[in-house]
Amino acid sequence: MSRLFLFYRSSIGKKVVMAVTGLVLFGFVVVHMAGNLKVYQGAEKINAYGEFLRAMGSPVFSHGQVLWIARIVLLASVALHIMAAVQLILMNRRARPVGYTHQDPIQATYASRTMIWSGPVIALFVIYHLLHFTAGTVHPSFRAGDIYHNVIAGFRVWYVSAFYIVAMVGLGFHLYHGVWSLFQTLGINDVRVDRFFRRLAAVATVAVVAGNISIPVTVLLGLIS
Amino acid sequence: MELRASVPSGPVEQKWDNHRFEMKLVSPANKRKYTILVVGSGLAGASAAASLAELGYNVTCFCYQDSPRRAHSIAAQGGINAAKNYRNDGDSVFRLFYDTIKGGDYRAREANVYRLAQLSVNIIDQCVAQGVPFAREYGGLLDNRSFGGAQVSRTFYARGQTGQQLLLGAYSALSRQVGLGRVAMYPRHEMLDLVVIDGKTRGVVVRDMVTGQIESHAGDAVVLGTGGYSNVFYLSTNAKGCNATAIWRAYKRGAAMANPSFTQIHPTCIPVSGDHQSKLTLMSESLRNDGRIWVPQQKGDTRPPDRIPEAERDYYLERRYPAFGNLVPRDVASRAAKAVCDEGFGVGPGGLGVYLDLTDAIKRLGEQVIRERYGNLFEMYERITGENPYERPMRIYPAVHYTMGGLWVDYNLMSTIDGLYVIGEANFSDHGANRLGASALMQGLADGYFILPATIGDYLARTKQEKLDPSHSAFRRVEAEVTERTKRLLAIRGKRTVDSFHREFGRLMWEYCGMSRNVQGLQVALEKIPALRAEFWENVNVLGANEELNQSLEKAGRVADFFEFAELMCHDALERAESCGCHFREEYQTPDGEALRDDADFAHVAAWEFAGVDNPPILHKESLAFQYVSLTQRSYK
Amino acid sequence: MDVTLHVWRQKSAADRGRFVRYEARNISPDMSFLEMFDVVNEGLIARGEDPIAFDHDCREGICGTCGMVINGVAHGPRRGTTVCQLHLRSFRDGDTITVEPWRARPFPVIKDLVVDRGAFDRIIQAGGFISVPTGSAPDANAIPIPKPDADLAMDAASCIGCGACVAACPNGAAMLFTAAKVSHLGLLPQGQPERRQRVRQMVVAMDREGFGSCTNYAECEAVCPKAISIRFIARMNRDYLKASLME
Ligand SMILES: Cc1cc2nc3c(=O)[nH]c(=O)nc-3n(C[C@H](O)[C@H](O)[C@H](O)COP(=O)(O)OP(=O)(O)OC[C@H]3O[C@@H](n4cnc5c(N)ncnc54)[C@H](O)[C@@H]3O)c2cc1C
Ligand code: HEM
Ligand code: FES
């Protein structure tokens, strides 16, 4: 345990935690996006999918247990990810008390330079998203269990959709740098596979962002109802 | 002053072994009671400091850079020699010894050089074990190349960065000892004087270059590994900070200076581009393997090189030395280049340059091959000159590059002051009147890793001396002198900058005590230098205070010493009425313009003793006897 | 050509520092950037003003002493080039050039453009070596090293320790410097016995000095005068991960 603690104390240790939790969250985001697309198969399919998620693990686990385990893992990941992010950001700030009058990036991507902004955007979004579709507190006509209705009704409000779209673009930037970066952090990257990871990050980003954005867009356009 | 070389008896190949057995040892428990001060962290200093600390001594190490890793050894490109005979091409310890003595034009001590050749093999082992990434072949074994006209391939290299990699090896060993607390490292500290008490070296006075604090450090012995003095010429391939201060102050405290006029000129440097030029950059001599050197046949021809037809070019090396052509040794190539430029045939800014033309080679071998062989050099040339060498022949000019002279040392590397050891380029020892390519790195490391750590123990074991601390009156006295001098420099507030003085007298030295010398010129120099020195002390402008980082003050101190040193160089060059190695006296040449040695009168080391700044120095001679090699005259016709 | 310089002047570590404007007139495009500073300084001395302090030594791009941030870029606009090897032909007549020191907490300013990079030495002292006391080495050819490994080790070993990586990193991280040394020694068979210990100790030392962490911006690689690749950072991360969690 103390070794893990020592490991976490180091800058690389924290980055590894970010990378691992980022990977978990990335996996979740991909699966979640794929699940979301079931909305195109109609109310039954997606509601059944929701039910499937709750029933996962039975009979060993009771109803909703696995989903809760997954939620705990995700929550812990988010917590660790944010904690490490905050600590690293503070560390980085301390490392340069006097800044340059101006500094132009040479090859750092826009996505990499905005990680500290895209991250919080995601955090805010996640909170809203949970209140919106999971708890239903901020939903105009929340019906527990009727995901299809909740989605369609939720996205009919244009500014809610707009916020989702903006958040997804933020997530896109975060993933575009993050997915490549995590392999670098974990030491899996090397010159031979670098292109592959860069492409993976690009493809995954486009898929997640496009997949998720397509839903509010189609709802707003009235293509599904 | 007496010059005792202390060469052990016995056949040359057994001397070092016998000597090691005969030397007294310091017992392991006692070693930590001794403090050794090492000035310099180049290959010589860093390897010595690390090795001494490994043995258990207390070591204090100084350098003027901000980190020991930046000593000028870092700049060596070509490689390091060792008689490994991995090529099976007939190399041996004896051959390396022979080549070095002959290359030095018979002005080095046989016993030292033989030991150097013997130890060369251990150096490579040590460096590889430290992780120096020497070039390898596909089989995984070490690669070699031939260098500087040697007939065997005995040069080990790490790309074009051999010096850097060797220094980083020594620096890592040193860092390990610093981390273990056995070496106290003082970067940004400049040694400004030596403290000698009752004929024994007991410490140094240094200036903390950040705070200006003048500090004394006491020890049981002092080691100088402070590098060469090529910057006496202002423009050289040395780093800007390279200086003669440490050895000069030691000289003024009683150490003999040997052969100071032996300076080496490198033929393939990038020429000066204007008055702003602050230093010169060397390009590997290997370029001469594929390049042809020429100038226009017409004086002051300003046509671009590709517009000068073949018939109007003078390939002067090929013309004058048909057998060796462009591959004549460094000094011959350098002198020939200066001669054609002096006659007005030079090209480029100020007419100080000759063409090194690889057009034929590019045609013959293809650009690809040339790019592989010389790509990095071409890039460097392009970066500095802004000209593309694939399209336009390069311009080259000789530049001062290495100084064979230095403090006189005996076989144990001890100077004429007890307890003052001198290693690396700072001593005069192994290269005679001319150093072979890739042998300086070897010498610095042999001195630092293997020789000094053995010989210094003998001195410590034989010498009874009480412990001193820097509050001793002798230290106080020297500190006061150093402070006084600094104050004087800061108080002048004249009209000229330090650099302007350095430039002016550097040019003087280059003109009169550079690659060829004659009586009249040297006498002119001996008149002009003291005059300029006097002006310096009246008219130099050093701003700021001592109690801060003050780069002008640092420079001023060094230049002041160079002034005095330069005079000694001229005395030495004047005294040596022969031509040998890099010392070319125009009066002494063969009808073909070759150096004419005078073994009857000058087969000796000229060791100078200080007799006061305004008095001529006193000459002592250590005669050189050659038992194992026979003296021959070289010829490159 | 003429250029206008905005140079950071700071009398000492305690001083707050500020930019001062200087005009460099009639300078030659063939001058190196440092030679232009020489000329400016000669002028300052003539006027009785304190010359600008800047670090330099070899002036041929190998010792790693020089370093300035020029218009926001460590070592200036030319890639793979130290400032001592940067020439004014990389600028245009009439340009305004801002010159600042390396900025990072572990590199405190000593004066003007001179900073203290002792932190790098301490990182090396923590483990950047192979423990092989003089005299204890086997024959140099006793361990064959595959050429690709030796070449890769050499790529890493070419680091000159100038600190541009730290200066350029938005986080002030010293990862490229540390990774280059860890990789150089870790790639060679001689470096194996201490490999794990080395990376742990060096990373601890690096953090202790107060450098930032790595966000994989790759700015370090872009300014590195020896073009050292961030692949070595990945290698160090891997080594560190293994060394910390296994054993
Ligand atoms: C461009 C170039 C290329 C070369 N290429 C080769 C080559 O390929 N092969 C080869 O064998 N040789 C080569 N040489 C020669 C060789 O590099 C040097 O002779 C050798 O490295 C000198 O090592 P050193 O340890 O004696 O001195 P240096 O490496 O110069 O170290 C001197 C040390 O002394 C310190 N110092 C100096 N004065 C003071 C002072 N007053 N107070 C405190 N500290 C002080 C410095 O800080 C430094 O640490 C080359 C030289 C040059 C200039
Ligand atoms: C769906 C949610 C998220 C995913 C998939 C995700 C993914 C990632 C990944 C893969 C990385 C790269 C790690 C590395 O370089 O090794 C990363 C970095 C980062 N993340 Fe997230 N992240 C998410 C949420 C957040 C949140 C909510 C924050 C809010 C604070 C955040 C802040 C950051 C920051 C600041 C970094 C850069 C850290 C650094 O390198 O210095 N992320 N993220
Ligand atoms: S001064 Fe040596 S690298 Fe620039």
Side-chain angles (χ1 to χ4, degrees):
Chain A
M1 206 53 211
S2 76
R3 186 186 302 163
L4 268 182
F5 180 71
L6 275 181
F7 176 67
Y8 183 77
R9 274 226 329 221
S10 71
S11 58
I12 297 181
K14 289 192 190 65
K15 276 293 304 202
V16 166
V17 167
M18 294 216 67
V20 171
T21 54
L23 183 62
V24 169
L25 295 172
F26 168 60
F28 163 75
V29 168
V30 170
V31 172
H32 188 29
M33 185 276 296
N36 292 345
L37 294 181
K38 288 204 183 288
V39 78
Y40 294 119
Q41 295 174 323
E44 251 157 71
K45 281 281 162 78
I46 185 142
N47 288 350
Y49 171 63
E51 183 48 33
F52 156 76
L53 289 180
R54 273 181 283 275
M56 242 183 340
S58 74
V60 182
F61 293 92
S62 63
H63 195 75
Q65 230 173 8
V66 169
L67 185 61
W68 269 110
I69 293 173
R71 281 178 176 157
I72 288 167
V73 170
L74 290 175
L75 219 66
S77 295
V78 170
L80 283 171
H81 194 83
I82 294 180
M83 178 170 81
V86 170
Q87 288 177 315
L88 288 173
I89 290 166
L90 291 178
M91 174 177 186
N92 300 343
R93 289 268 152 84
R94 273 198 304 273
R96 177 157 300 136
V98 184
Y100 296 103
T101 36
H102 86 165
Q103 194 181 23
D104 292 332
I106 306 167
Q107 63 178 29
T109 56
Y110 181 77
S112 72
R113 287 182 282 122
T114 49
M115 291 300 272
I116 41 170
W117 302 116
S118 55
V121 167
I122 301 169
L124 287 179
F125 165 75
V126 170
I127 295 169
Y128 179 80
H129 181 56
L130 290 175
L131 296 177
H132 191 214
F133 285 145
T134 309
T137 16
V138 294
H139 197 280
S141 59
F142 188 72
R143 284 188 219 149
D146 190 349
I147 300 174
Y148 191 77
H149 163 81
N150 292 344
V151 169
I152 307 281
F155 284 151
R156 283 243 170 88
V157 186
W158 70 267
Y159 51 83
V160 171
S161 283
F163 174 57
Y164 268 80
I165 292 170
V166 170
M168 282 309 115
V169 173
L171 176 64
F173 278 112
H174 206 76
L175 289 182
Y176 178 69
H177 178 65
V179 170
W180 167 78
S181 173
L182 79 91
F183 293 106
Q184 179 77 9
T185 301
L186 294 176
I188 299 166
N189 197 18
D190 203 348
V191 267
R192 260 160 308 176
V193 283
D194 189 71
R195 292 256 311 260
F196 170 75
F197 286 131
R198 296 233 186 235
R199 283 203 187 130
L200 176 74
V203 169
T205 303
V206 170
V208 169
V209 173
N212 282 340
I213 288 182
S214 73
I215 300 171
V217 169
T218 39
V219 170
L220 280 183
L221 294 178
L223 298 177
I224 48 170
S225 58
Chain B
M1 179 182 287
E2 204 188 335
L3 300 175
R4 255 173 318 188
S6 308
V7 174
S9 55
V12 73
E13 60 280 359
Q14 287 167 23
K15 282 184 198 290
W16 178 234
D17 274 349
N18 293 347
H19 189 54
R20 276 202 296 173
F21 179 70
E22 282 156 10
M23 280 188 293
K24 283 198 162 182
L25 298 175
V26 179
S27 82
N30 280 338
K31 286 206 179 88
R32 68 191 146 77
K33 294 183 190 153
Y34 291 104
T35 298
I36 301 171
L37 309 175
V38 179
V39 187
S41 64
L43 284 181
S47 58
S51 303
L52 289 167
E54 284 161 4
L55 286 171
Y57 296 108
N58 259 320
V59 177
T60 307
C61 183
F62 307 89
C63 71
Y64 72 75
Q65 291 93 347
D66 71 325
S67 161
R69 68 180 289 153
R70 307 199 201 283
H72 192 55
S73 295
I74 201 99
Q77 305 168 349
I80 176 167
N81 288 332
K84 280 283 195 188
N85 194 28
Y86 282 155
R87 297 281 117 160
N88 196 27
D89 58 358
D91 199 12
S92 63
V93 167
F94 196 89
R95 187 178 294 279
L96 176 54
F97 155 73
Y98 178 87
D99 288 354
T100 308
I101 290 280
K102 179 172 176 229
D105 225 4
Y106 311 98
R107 293 296 174 262
R109 208 185 276 146
E110 274 188 339
N112 286 52
V113 176
Y114 195 89
R115 173 178 63 185
L116 175 65
Q118 280 176 310
L119 290 171
S120 67
V121 298
N122 306 50
I123 294 171
I124 302 302
D125 298 345
Q126 184 64 30
C127 295
V128 166
Q130 286 169 345
V132 171
F134 282 121
R136 304 234 162 210
E137 301 187 311
Y138 281 97
L141 300 178
L142 290 161
D143 193 14
N144 288 119
R145 61 180 171 206
S146 84
F147 197 77
Q151 284 167 307
V152 291
S153 287
R154 61 158 82 97
T155 304
F156 294 78
Y157 65 100
R159 295 214 182 127
Q161 302 156 19
T162 316
Q164 179 198 30
Q165 292 310 315
L166 294 172
L167 183 62
L168 293 181
Y171 162 73
S172 69
L174 174 64
S175 296
R176 176 165 166 258
Q177 297 303 318
V178 175
L180 292 170
R182 300 206 197 111
V183 175
M185 185 70 221
Y186 288 84
R188 289 201 203 268
H189 276 69
E190 181 162 21
M191 170 183 156
L192 292 183
D193 220 326
L194 188 76
V195 180
V196 181
I197 302 174
D198 298 334
K200 294 199 167 55
T201 312
R202 296 309 306 267
V204 294
V205 171
V206 298
R207 177 173 178 271
D208 178 332
M209 294 157 73
V210 175
T211 64
Q213 183 85 30
I214 305 291
E215 302 165 2
S216 287
H217 292 262
D220 298 285
V222 171
V223 181
L224 300 184
T226 51
Y229 50 84
S230 296
N231 279 349
V232 69
F233 294 96
Y234 185 68
L235 288 180
S236 82
T237 64
N238 279 12
K240 293 296 286 176
C242 291
N243 65 85
T245 290
I247 57 170
W248 188 249
R249 305 290 171 96
Y251 167 78
K252 289 172 93 170
R253 297 273 169 210
M257 187 73 73
N259 301 335
S261 69
F262 287 176
T263 51
Q264 189 175 62
I265 315 278
H266 197 287
T268 52
C269 297
I270 300 176
V272 173
S273 70
D275 286 338
H276 55 262
Q277 192 85 22
S278 60
K279 82 150 274 173
L280 297 170
T281 304
L282 178 118
M283 288 192 297
S284 168
E285 255 178 304
S286 57
L287 284 167
R288 287 201 281 148
N289 292 335
D290 285 309
R292 298 180 67 195
I293 293 172
W294 62 274
V295 289
Q297 278 183 1
Q298 228 182 328
K299 278 186 193 178
D301 189 338
T302 51
R303 285 176 292 175
D306 55 340
R307 304 275 292 284
I308 301 178
E310 204 55 31
E312 294 173 36
R313 300 177 176 188
D314 179 12
Y315 294 89
Y316 59 90
L317 287 178
E318 295 169 24
R319 173 169 56 81
R320 283 168 54 183
Y321 307 98
F324 279 74
N326 296 297
L327 290 174
V328 291
R330 285 182 180 179
D331 54 327
V332 179
S334 300
R335 271 199 302 279
K338 182 168 189 288
V340 292
C341 293
D342 287 349
E343 286 160 26
F345 296 98
V347 296
L352 293 177
V354 299
Y355 288 121
L356 172 62
D357 194 342
L358 278 87
T359 315
D360 285 356
I362 294 175
K363 265 191 221 134
R364 182 161 37 93
L365 304 164
E367 193 171 314
Q368 195 46 40
V369 176
I370 295 297
R371 196 177 290 277
E372 272 164 32
R373 279 191 200 161
Y374 307 114
N376 59 339
L377 294 171
F378 277 31
E379 221 175 87
M380 181 168 83
Y381 182 84
E382 211 247 58
R383 191 171 305 156
I384 292 176
T385 62
E387 290 172 12
N388 178 352
Y390 292 100
E391 284 163 9
R392 199 189 160 104
M394 290 186 262
R395 287 173 296 113
I396 55 165
Y397 198 67
V400 185
H401 166 63
Y402 183 85
T403 52
M404 280 74 67
L407 288 178
W408 183 91
V409 289
D410 66 7
Y411 187 75
N412 295 314
L413 304 182
M414 190 164 87
S415 69
T416 50
I417 311 179
D418 277 0
L420 177 68
Y421 287 79
V422 192
I423 58 179
E425 195 173 334
N427 73 23
F428 88 106
S429 68
D430 299 341
H431 307 295
N434 177 34
R435 173 178 69 82
L436 292 183
S439 283
L441 302 178
M442 166 173 81
Q443 181 230 330
L445 290 178
D447 290 358
Y449 281 132
F450 299 108
I451 303 170
L452 177 93
T455 57
I456 209 167
D458 181 51
Y459 169 75
L460 295 173
R462 281 189 294 100
T463 311
K464 285 250 172 316
Q465 49 190 12
E466 62 204 78
K467 295 285 139 196
L468 280 187
D469 69 86
S471 58
H472 187 281
S473 62
F475 282 95
R476 291 277 169 264
R477 246 190 334 270
V478 177
E479 276 175 28
E481 283 172 36
V482 167
T483 310
E484 172 53 35
R485 192 178 137 101
T486 308
K487 278 203 187 121
R488 238 181 101 195
L489 282 169
L490 286 166
I492 302 169
R493 294 286 145 104
K495 293 241 158 3
R496 287 182 68 180
T497 61
V498 179
D499 275 353
S500 83
F501 279 106
H502 197 176
R503 267 211 183 88
E504 182 176 341
F505 105 88
R507 237 185 325 248
L508 253 167
M509 287 300 287
W510 175 248
E511 202 47 49
Y512 299 115
C513 196
M515 67 183 116
S516 64
R517 297 133 182 202
N518 58 48
V519 179
Q520 293 79 17
L522 289 165
Q523 274 158 354
V524 171
L526 279 171
E527 271 164 37
K528 288 194 172 178
I529 294 166
L532 199 58
R533 173 158 59 84
E535 190 199 333
F536 173 86
W537 281 103
E538 273 161 22
N539 196 24
V540 74
N541 188 6
V542 185
L543 295 172
N546 173 54
E547 290 72 28
E548 60 173 340
L549 180 87
N550 188 340
Q551 294 175 321
S552 308
L553 178 62
E554 294 160 18
K555 275 195 272 194
R558 293 171 194 159
V559 171
D561 289 332
F562 274 137
F563 266 119
E564 295 174 12
F565 188 88
E567 261 181 85
L568 183 64
M569 273 178 75
C570 294
H571 280 296
D572 186 51
L574 195 58
E575 173 67 30
R576 192 168 281 278
E578 65 159 350
S579 294
C580 65
C582 294
H583 170 66
F584 190 77
R585 278 282 298 270
E586 285 158 11
E587 304 91 325
Y588 307 100
Q589 48 182 312
T590 64
D592 307 328
E594 280 296 335
L596 189 60
R597 246 184 16 242
D598 176 356
D599 294 327
D601 293 324
F602 289 97
H604 65 240
V605 176
W608 299 88
E609 182 185 349
F610 181 64
V613 174
D614 296 312
N615 299 333
I618 304 161
L619 175 64
H620 302 268
K621 294 177 185 173
E622 177 199 343
S623 64
L624 296 167
F626 295 92
Q627 289 175 21
Y628 295 88
V629 296
S630 52
L631 280 62
T632 56
Q633 193 78 39
R634 43 176 216 173
S635 164
Y636 296 97
K637 282 283 163 182
Chain C
M1 58 192 270
D2 299 335
V3 295
T4 303
L5 300 168
H6 288 275
V7 183
W8 182 259
R9 301 302 308 264
Q10 182 174 344
K11 273 208 84 61
S12 66
D15 182 31
R16 281 199 54 213
R18 70 209 159 95
F19 282 98
V20 179
R21 184 187 155 121
Y22 299 100
E23 303 292 335
R25 298 242 168 271
N26 278 326
I27 48 177
S28 148
D30 288 327
M31 263 181 202
S32 75
F33 203 76
L34 299 187
E35 284 167 348
M36 173 186 67
F37 267 78
D38 292 343
V39 171
V40 169
N41 277 344
E42 294 276 287
L44 286 176
I45 296 172
R47 297 207 302 268
E49 290 176 40
D50 197 21
I52 305 161
F54 61 96
D55 249 337
H56 64 99
D57 202 23
C58 74
R59 295 205 176 185
E60 52 181 86
I62 192 73
C63 73
T65 310
C66 63
M68 306 173 177
V69 172
I70 299 169
N71 287 338
V73 179
H75 286 309
R78 207 178 148 139
R79 280 231 178 180
T81 304
T82 53
V83 57
C84 60
Q85 291 280 282
L86 177 70
H87 286 72
L88 285 168
R89 63 182 85 88
S90 295
F91 298 86
R92 276 189 315 253
D93 192 19
D95 272 358
T96 297
I97 307 172
T98 306
V99 185
E100 299 174 76
W102 286 174
R103 295 202 187 276
R105 188 168 61 116
F107 288 173
V109 172
I110 294 175
K111 184 176 178 183
D112 299 341
L113 303 171
V114 178
V115 300
D116 178 357
R117 283 168 294 200
F120 272 8
D121 287 322
R122 292 187 290 275
I123 293 175
I124 300 294
Q125 285 155 19
F129 46 74
I130 291 171
S131 299
V132 50
T134 302
S136 54
D139 184 84
N141 257 346
I143 323 165
I145 302 175
K147 184 169 162 56
D149 292 358
D151 285 347
L152 194 57
M154 182 62 216
D155 287 344
S158 62
C159 168
I160 59 174
C162 62
C165 45
V166 174
C169 177
N171 298 348
M175 290 284 278
L176 192 62
F177 169 78
T178 312
K181 195 73 208 177
V182 165
S183 302
H184 157 210
L185 298 177
L187 274 158
L188 297 170
Q190 307 90 300
Q192 297 313 309
E194 293 167 296
R195 183 165 170 182
R196 290 186 177 171
Q197 185 190 342
R198 175 182 311 119
V199 65
R200 264 188 279 132
Q201 292 174 348
M202 288 180 74
V203 168
V204 168
M206 174 183 87
D207 288 345
R208 196 193 303 129
E209 295 293 339
F211 291 103
S213 72
C214 178
T215 300
N216 300 318
Y217 293 119
E219 289 291 282
C220 50
E221 178 185 85
V223 300
C224 176
K226 298 292 149 184
I228 294 174
S229 159
I230 55 165
R231 68 187 295 189
F232 295 118
I233 295 183
R235 268 193 79 90
M236 174 166 78
N237 288 337
R238 177 161 73 235
D239 271 14
Y240 183 70
L241 196 62
K242 277 196 208 152
S244 303
L245 301 182
M246 300 194 333
E247 192 174 337

